[in-house]
Amino acid sequence: MAENDWKKRLGVVYSTNPDYRYEESAPDRQETLPPRQQKLIVRIDRRQRAGKQVTLVEGFVGTQEDLAALARTLKTRCGVGGSAKDGEITVQGDFRDKVVELLVGMGYNAKRGN
C-alpha cells in the first residue's frame, strides 16, 4: 500500500508503460557553511512585538538542525528564551553586543546591524 501512495504523485503525468516506476526526487539538503564563511548580521527588532525588543541573527546558511543548535547555545549563554526558524535566530531582549561577542568567539563572521 505504501508503494501506491497517490498523494505524493499529484501533478505527475500518467504513463501507459507497465514497467514504468515513479521515482521521487530527494529534496535538496542545504549544507551548512563553515563558521568563517557565514555572514551573520545581529540587529534589534521591535516591530509587531507589542513594544518588546528581540535580537535577530540573520544570514545563517545551513541545515535547520545546525541553526537550532546555534540558537540553543546563544539562548543558554544569554539566559533568555527565543526561537530559530527560516535561517533566523530570535533571542528575547536586547543582547546585540553579547551575541556578536559570542558569535565572533565561536569563529563566525558576525557584525552588529543597527
Side-chain angles (χ1 to χ4, degrees):
M1 189 69 169
E3 187 176 310
N4 194 19
D5 189 9
W6 61 271
K7 291 180 184 178
K8 292 182 181 177
R9 295 183 295 185
L10 287 176
V12 177
V13 178
Y14 179 75
S15 174
T16 58
N17 183 357
D19 296 329
Y20 179 76
R21 305 278 299 158
Y22 178 74
E23 296 177 11
E24 295 179 30
S25 62
D28 293 338
R29 185 165 170 88
Q30 187 175 20
E31 295 295 322
T32 302
L33 293 176
R36 277 282 162 222
Q37 293 180 0
Q38 299 274 1
K39 292 186 170 101
L40 303 178
I41 298 174
V42 180
R43 65 181 188 90
I44 194 158
D45 188 28
R46 296 180 189 93
R47 287 186 223 126
Q48 300 176 354
R49 303 186 195 276
K52 308 282 186 196
Q53 298 176 347
V54 295
T55 303
L56 294 177
V57 180
E58 299 173 327
F60 185 84
V61 177
T63 63
Q64 189 65 29
E65 294 82 22
D66 292 336
L67 178 69
L70 179 61
R72 190 177 313 112
T73 303
L74 293 176
K75 293 186 300 181
T76 302
R77 297 260 177 98
C78 292
V80 294
S83 66
K85 59 184 171 184
D86 300 330
E88 182 177 273
I89 299 172
T90 304
V91 178
Q92 295 174 351
D94 185 3
F95 290 97
R96 289 176 288 185
D97 296 328
K98 188 170 185 176
V99 168
V100 169
E101 181 182 317
L102 289 170
L103 289 171
V104 169
M106 293 158 77
Y108 286 92
N109 185 11
K111 66 179 184 177
R112 184 175 165 163
N114 58 350

